[in-house]
Amino acid sequence: MTFELLATDGAARRGRLTTPHGVVETPVFMPVGTRGTVKSLTPDDVQGSGAQIVLANTYHLFLRPGPALIRELGGLHRFMGWDGPILTDSGGFQVFSLSKLRRISEDGVRFRSPIDGAEHALSPEEVIAVQQALGSDIMMPLDECLAYPATRETAEASLALTVRWARRSQAARRAGAPSAQALFGIVQGGSFVDLRRRAVDETVALGFDGYAIGGLAVGEPKALLYDLSAVAAEALPEDRARYLMGVGKPEDLLEAVARGVDMFDCVLPTRNARNGQAFTADGPLSIKQARFTRDPAPLEDDCACYACRRFSRAYVRHLWMAQELLAYRLLSLHNLHFFARLMAQTRAAIAARGFGAFKARFLGRYAVSSLTLGRIPEHGHISDREA
Amino acid sequence: MTFELLATDGAARRGRLTTPHGVVETPVFMPVGTRGTVKSLTPDDVQGSGAQIVLANTYHLFLRPGPALIRELGGLHRFMGWDGPILTDSGGFQVFSLSKLRRISEDGVRFRSPIDGAEHALSPEEVIAVQQALGSDIMMPLDECLAYPATRETAEASLALTVRWARRSQAARRAGAPSAQALFGIVQGGSFVDLRRRAVDETVALGFDGYAIGGLAVGEPKALLYDLSAVAAEALPEDRARYLMGVGKPEDLLEAVARGVDMFDCVLPTRNARNGQAFTADGPLSIKQARFTRDPAPLEDDCACYACRRFSRAYVRHLWMAQELLAYRLLSLHNLHFFARLMAQTRAAIAARGFGAFKARFLGRYAVSSLTLGRIPEHGHISDREA
């Protein structure tokens, strides 16, 4: 895998990742296909929305249907019918957020499956082996994802464990058969600026194909998310892609791009679609609202997605009220299209060195959120939790 | 609307309906889009499956979102994004099967909405007005759909009421603005051969654009369904389409075609899809079964549908086990494709005067069902209930 930096505009970067399954123009948003499917959509729908790469969850696929089955059926690309690039996460975040009775040791994690209660163990080496069976284009090493808030002592110990696991992941990958699969490093460090910087130094010293900023979007204040992203991005090498895991809302994407982040993933567009929310340039709307009952307009004016080209808000609301499956699908399709378009506009703005103006214009119109965002300085002070 | 009879093969007919929204080659199976959506599918999916015409339920659309709203938004075709022909039923069957506290009088039906308990009344005239607001290509008049079994006395009185309602429906249509919407008559008469013949005579005397055989597929034995279909079809005019409402399984379609029926509708392919069933030339299969866990084959060999071209049984089963929405969609897509292909093969076989051989070959391979069907003579005696 290669990463080319094509242009910059302040800290914002316009780049290009080349993977075994195709090129990814950055900044990029990756739709989440948790169990090998972006919920309610076919691979063709996902591609048609403008998505270039999808994320799949190692944790979910490990539990069901299992890596051996996916390998036997030709790997994850073939299994899910997606020919483009795939990034698989390490499962670390899900072990911490979904599993009961999880236990962390130097060796790795032990946890119970939420499906059947069976106990499983995953070491850093096994997490690499699982992702090798899946055959994803970009693998992530097992990391410890701290809850927010965490003490400095906890964050420091956790960061050290994550770095030791990263080294073992790298060794496991080198020990395996030669492969075109890339491996990213994950920067942890809790909400402490110096620990984030230490995490960057120690992870970069190991030498990865790209770097993820982990342990954020776990409930911390927005200002902290933005500032810690900036701290990590500034310290990371210029010639590698930077991936902010689990982020986020449209405004978060733009704020993080402004701080030098290249890649994002989040369930937001598809999960919120299944809760009746459509993203629009004027802010999100809830199709449940009675004001859309007779509205002949599309979900979003001037949107070129299939849902907007073919159907009215009134129809989508009717489907929603009747709990018709097509409602979830049309809203998911539109939201993915919205996120892909936002990233395409972002790339064009950076290339034209007009990203700041584009971001201000977008956030000004995307009204609700901009009221909040206006109070957050672009590179302001870290919150009180820093010390 | 016109109907041309293009070829016959025994009692089987190859025909062509021309509607304001396009041509329908018969015999034809109509997917059911109950609430203005064929569940889980877009109009493009439905068209891509080979479907030529869809059915929508007047009862459901009357209750929600209501005919005034659909008219305001440009009619049902525009509302649901389907440019092809639409047949709307009268709502009669749903009043009888879904509504609580229904009351039937000479004037029409009164019933409570299962959505909010509100009381509604529909007369034959109002049922026509609702379908005019929807703007369907083929309308159905309000009819009384008897439960099975019913006494001769009940069936006779019910048949007479249905004929009186048919006359009022026709008058209501004539009284309205001139319209290209067709109106079918519905033949009732319970399970009594002479009443079925009387229903045909009295309904045909009124002169409709086509004729439906109603009150079947309500729990009666298969032999009775086939025989009563034959009785009605034999008595109906050759130059009008014959539509067997609510039927049915693949074997039922072929048996009814053999008896002179041209049109069918049923929720079977889509409802069974959502229950994990895929139709195949070798009989239906349940994707829930463990034997498909590692099966790399498509749902059906040699099927050209999107689901079969792109995905394995193992993947569809994985989606099913994980309750992923895409499972319902892929199975629905495949099943509609299966039904459309069966009807296309039927049309070709009739045109080539080889329908009998085609039917025998199909049923021989479609193994499970053929064991049952083998015991039913093509034009055998009516069951004991006839007398």
Side-chain angles (χ1 to χ4, degrees):
Chain A
M1 196 194 75
T2 62
F3 177 74
E4 299 165 74
L5 187 59
L6 304 176
T8 58
D9 183 7
R13 296 145 51 96
R14 167 79 182 88
R16 181 173 295 150
L17 270 176
T18 304
T19 80
H21 286 86
V23 165
V24 178
E25 306 290 345
T26 66
V28 65
F29 177 82
M30 302 182 281
V32 177
T34 306
R35 299 183 173 94
T37 165
V38 178
K39 286 189 191 303
S40 88
L41 301 179
T42 62
D44 288 2
D45 291 336
V46 175
Q47 188 177 34
S49 78
Q52 309 174 70
I53 173 173
V54 299
L55 181 144
N57 288 119
T58 296
Y59 173 85
H60 293 285
L61 295 170
F62 168 75
L63 290 177
R64 187 169 60 185
L69 185 147
I70 292 178
R71 187 207 299 266
E72 183 182 325
L73 285 156
L76 184 56
H77 291 86
R78 185 156 166 198
F79 185 61
M80 68 184 281
W82 169 262
D83 295 329
I86 298 175
L87 183 149
T88 41
D89 66 4
S90 70
F93 180 72
Q94 282 77 26
V95 166
F96 294 101
S97 60
L98 296 179
S99 290
K100 289 178 179 167
L101 299 172
R102 62 179 185 271
R103 289 199 306 275
I104 302 135
S105 67
E106 186 65 34
D107 190 47
V109 292
R110 297 187 75 87
F111 58 97
R112 285 197 182 276
S113 161
I115 301 170
D116 59 8
E119 192 171 325
H120 295 280
L122 279 174
S123 65
E125 291 79 7
E126 285 163 334
V127 163
I128 293 295
V130 170
Q131 293 177 86
Q132 286 172 331
L134 300 179
S136 55
D137 296 270
I138 302 175
M139 303 187 288
M140 304 298 295
L142 186 64
D143 63 325
E144 186 182 13
C145 185
L146 280 183
Y148 174 85
T151 64
R152 181 179 175 86
E153 192 181 3
T154 307
E156 198 164 6
S158 173
L159 147 61
L161 180 66
T162 291
V163 170
R164 289 194 299 274
W165 283 357
R167 189 178 294 116
R168 284 169 55 188
S169 304
Q170 214 170 40
R173 177 195 179 210
R174 287 197 188 114
S179 150
Q181 290 179 273
L183 179 65
F184 277 27
I186 303 180
V187 172
Q188 293 285 351
S191 48
F192 303 92
V193 169
D194 62 325
L195 295 188
R196 286 274 162 188
R197 289 195 179 120
R198 188 197 299 175
V200 169
D201 289 346
E202 296 185 0
T203 310
V204 170
L206 296 175
F208 287 93
D209 299 309
Y211 295 93
I213 305 168
L216 294 178
V218 291
E220 74 283 0
K222 274 296 163 76
L224 200 53
L225 165 65
Y226 298 158
D227 287 336
L228 290 172
S229 299
V231 164
E234 279 164 16
L236 283 165
E238 201 182 73
D239 63 348
R240 291 287 187 277
R242 303 162 184 167
Y243 160 34
L244 181 55
M245 301 175 83
V247 172
K249 294 188 176 177
E251 60 268 30
D252 299 335
L253 303 186
L254 296 189
E255 294 297 343
V257 164
R259 289 158 174 81
V261 173
D262 307 305
M263 302 169 69
F264 304 91
D265 80 284
C266 194
V267 296
L268 194 77
T270 44
R271 177 173 293 169
N272 287 22
R274 298 194 310 282
N275 288 319
Q277 191 177 67
F279 287 89
T280 86
D282 296 311
L285 62 80
S286 170
I287 203 66
K288 306 175 202 177
Q289 293 180 357
R291 67 187 168 114
F292 300 122
T293 304
R294 318 183 91 80
D295 191 339
L299 289 173
E300 182 181 22
D301 283 329
D302 304 321
C303 174
C305 86
Y306 177 77
C308 288
R309 280 186 284 116
R310 292 288 292 270
F311 306 102
S312 61
R313 288 168 173 172
Y315 181 67
V316 178
R317 182 175 186 277
H318 162 67
L319 295 178
W320 177 270
M321 298 303 287
Q323 299 181 292
E324 286 286 348
L325 296 176
L326 188 56
Y328 313 129
R329 180 174 161 193
L330 293 180
L331 287 162
S332 297
L333 208 52
H334 170 75
N335 286 351
L336 284 193
H337 194 273
F338 178 89
F339 273 64
R341 190 185 65 198
L342 178 61
M343 289 293 97
Q345 291 167 336
T346 293
R347 291 192 295 271
I350 297 169
R353 302 188 69 81
F355 177 66
F358 166 74
K359 173 169 165 280
R361 211 164 50 238
F362 177 88
L363 294 177
R365 185 173 168 192
Y366 196 81
V368 181
S369 309
S370 66
L371 292 174
T372 312
L373 289 171
R375 289 188 283 109
I376 299 173
E378 286 247 317
H379 287 272
H381 295 292
I382 218 75
S383 81
D384 288 341
R385 293 204 52 78
E386 184 188 9
Chain B
M1 196 194 75
T2 61
F3 178 74
E4 299 166 73
L5 187 59
L6 304 176
T8 58
D9 184 6
R13 296 144 51 93
R14 167 78 182 89
R16 180 174 294 151
L17 272 176
T18 304
T19 80
H21 285 86
V23 165
V24 178
E25 307 291 345
T26 66
V28 65
F29 177 83
M30 303 183 281
V32 178
T34 306
R35 300 184 171 95
T37 165
V38 177
K39 287 189 191 302
S40 87
L41 302 179
T42 62
D44 288 2
D45 291 337
V46 175
Q47 188 177 33
S49 78
Q52 309 174 68
I53 172 172
V54 299
L55 180 144
N57 289 119
T58 296
Y59 173 85
H60 292 286
L61 294 171
F62 167 76
L63 291 176
R64 187 169 58 184
L69 184 148
I70 292 176
R71 189 208 297 268
E72 183 183 325
L73 286 156
L76 185 56
H77 291 86
R78 186 159 164 195
F79 185 61
M80 68 185 282
W82 169 261
D83 296 328
I86 299 175
L87 183 148
T88 42
D89 65 5
S90 70
F93 179 73
Q94 282 76 27
V95 166
F96 295 99
S97 60
L98 294 180
S99 289
K100 289 179 179 167
L101 298 172
R102 61 179 186 270
R103 289 200 304 278
I104 301 133
S105 67
E106 186 65 33
D107 191 48
V109 293
R110 298 188 74 86
F111 58 96
R112 286 197 182 275
S113 162
I115 299 170
D116 58 8
E119 192 171 326
H120 296 279
L122 279 175
S123 66
E125 292 80 6
E126 286 163 333
V127 163
I128 294 296
V130 170
Q131 292 177 86
Q132 286 172 332
L134 299 179
S136 54
D137 297 87
I138 303 175
M139 301 186 290
M140 304 299 295
L142 187 63
D143 62 326
E144 186 182 13
C145 186
L146 281 183
Y148 174 86
T151 65
R152 182 180 175 85
E153 192 182 5
T154 307
E156 199 163 8
S158 172
L159 148 61
L161 180 66
T162 290
V163 170
R164 290 195 298 277
W165 283 358
R167 190 179 295 114
R168 285 168 56 189
S169 304
Q170 215 170 39
R173 178 195 178 209
R174 287 197 188 113
S179 149
Q181 290 179 273
L183 180 64
F184 276 27
I186 303 180
V187 172
Q188 291 285 350
S191 48
F192 303 92
V193 169
D194 62 326
L195 296 188
R196 285 275 162 188
R197 289 195 180 121
R198 189 196 299 175
V200 169
D201 290 345
E202 296 185 1
T203 310
V204 169
L206 296 175
F208 287 93
D209 299 310
Y211 296 93
I213 306 167
L216 294 178
V218 291
E220 75 283 359
K222 274 294 164 74
L224 200 53
L225 165 66
Y226 298 158
D227 287 336
L228 290 172
S229 300
V231 164
E234 279 164 15
L236 283 165
E238 201 182 74
D239 63 349
R240 291 288 187 275
R242 304 160 183 169
Y243 160 34
L244 180 56
M245 302 176 82
V247 172
K249 294 189 177 177
E251 59 269 30
D252 300 335
L253 303 186
L254 296 189
E255 295 297 344
V257 164
R259 289 157 174 79
V261 174
D262 308 305
M263 302 169 69
F264 304 90
D265 82 282
C266 194
V267 296
L268 194 75
T270 44
R271 177 172 292 169
N272 287 21
R274 299 195 308 285
N275 288 320
Q277 192 177 67
F279 287 90
T280 85
D282 297 310
L285 62 82
S286 169
I287 204 65
K288 305 175 203 178
Q289 293 178 357
R291 66 187 169 114
F292 300 122
T293 304
R294 319 184 91 80
D295 192 338
L299 289 174
E300 183 181 20
D301 283 329
D302 304 321
C303 175
C305 86
Y306 177 76
C308 288
R309 280 186 284 114
R310 292 287 292 270
F311 306 102
S312 61
R313 290 167 171 173
Y315 181 67
V316 179
R317 180 174 187 277
H318 162 65
L319 294 177
W320 177 271
M321 297 304 288
Q323 299 181 293
E324 286 287 348
L325 297 176
L326 188 56
Y328 313 129
R329 180 174 164 195
L330 293 179
L331 287 162
S332 296
L333 207 54
H334 170 74
N335 285 351
L336 285 192
H337 194 272
F338 178 89
F339 273 64
R341 190 185 64 198
L342 177 61
M343 289 292 95
Q345 291 167 336
T346 293
R347 292 193 295 271
I350 297 169
R353 301 186 70 80
F355 177 67
F358 165 74
K359 174 170 165 281
R361 212 164 48 238
F362 177 89
L363 295 178
R365 185 173 168 191
Y366 196 79
V368 180
S369 310
S370 64
L371 292 174
T372 312
L373 289 169
R375 290 186 283 111
I376 299 172
E378 284 249 315
H379 285 272
H381 296 292
I382 219 77
S383 80
D384 286 341
R385 293 204 52 76
E386 183 186 12

